[in-house]
Amino acid sequence: MPARLMLVGDFSRQSGAFSESILFSPEEDAMLANMLRAIGLSRDEVYSTNTLKCCPLPQAAPPDASVRQCVAYLHREIALVRPQIICAMGDGAARAVLESSEPVARLRGKLHPYKKGGEGLMALRIVPTYHPRLLLAHPEMKRAAWQDLQLIQKHLAGLSAA
């Protein structure tokens, strides 16, 4: 059975020993757990991944070349997981999944088609939203992210009813 929701972030911000249980950072993961709980999902019901498959140096943005090398792997991962919907968290994830240079601020608030999908993935939709990292730094953006989460919840409920 495919995953109901696939979360795609940008990269994990870990230093020291790497832990597979941390998606972004401990603080960001706690916020993510609250976001998922608000729409009736637990982390166990969601497939989570990052665009970049390694951790960049602390306080450094990952090089574009590293991200480009990981995008093909991400699209293959999506094909294997076969989620019902994808939530692209942040500009980096939205760029990778949607192949768009538009910022999340312009993309959010609506369902976008997944264009890399072949047979069986043509109906897959993507909801870009703000990354927990941004929401922790700018709490005023939480209302917009909540609207995006409600869009995901509504889409999943419609799929369950069908």
Side-chain angles (χ1 to χ4, degrees), residues 14 31 44 55 65 81 96 108-110 136 139 146 154:
Q14 298 184 49
M31 173 168 274
D44 296 338
C55 298
V81 172
R108 59 157 300 279
K110 54 190 166 213
L136 287 169
W146 173 238
K154 183 178 177 182

Side-chain angles (χ1 to χ4, degrees), residues 14-129:
Q14 298 184 49
S15 57
F18 177 79
S19 171
E20 284 187 26
S21 65
I22 297 175
L23 182 61
F24 304 133
S25 78
E27 298 81 17
E28 294 162 10
D29 287 3
M31 173 168 274
L32 177 61
N34 290 336
M35 294 167 77
L36 292 173
R37 197 171 18 262
I39 60 169
L41 296 173
S42 71
R43 284 279 305 266
D44 296 338
E45 298 175 272
V46 176
Y47 183 88
S48 304
T49 191
N50 279 308
T51 303
L52 191 64
K53 304 302 179 187
C54 59
C55 298
L57 296 173
Q59 306 305 326
D64 288 341
S66 295
V67 175
R68 280 192 304 274
Q69 289 176 337
C70 292
V71 167
Y73 182 85
L74 175 64
H75 287 295
R76 180 69 183 132
E77 193 174 10
I78 291 168
L80 291 170
V81 172
R82 303 176 69 78
Q84 293 177 349
I85 191 167
I86 294 174
C87 179
M89 304 193 94
D91 287 329
R95 272 193 299 275
V97 177
L98 290 171
E99 297 184 331
S100 170
S101 60
E102 293 288 326
V104 167
R106 286 203 182 126
L107 295 169
R108 59 157 300 279
K110 54 190 166 213
L111 297 166
H112 297 266
Y114 180 60
K115 296 178 182 173
K116 285 286 196 183
E119 196 71 30
L121 291 176
M122 306 236 334
L124 179 56
R125 296 293 177 252
I126 302 161
V127 175
T129 195

Side-chain angles (χ1 to χ4, degrees), residues 138-154:
H138 300 280
E140 68 275 10
M141 307 298 281
K142 288 181 181 180
R143 177 180 292 245
W146 173 238
Q147 292 168 346
D148 298 332
L149 292 172
Q150 289 177 310
L151 180 60
I152 291 167
Q153 184 181 38
K154 183 178 177 182

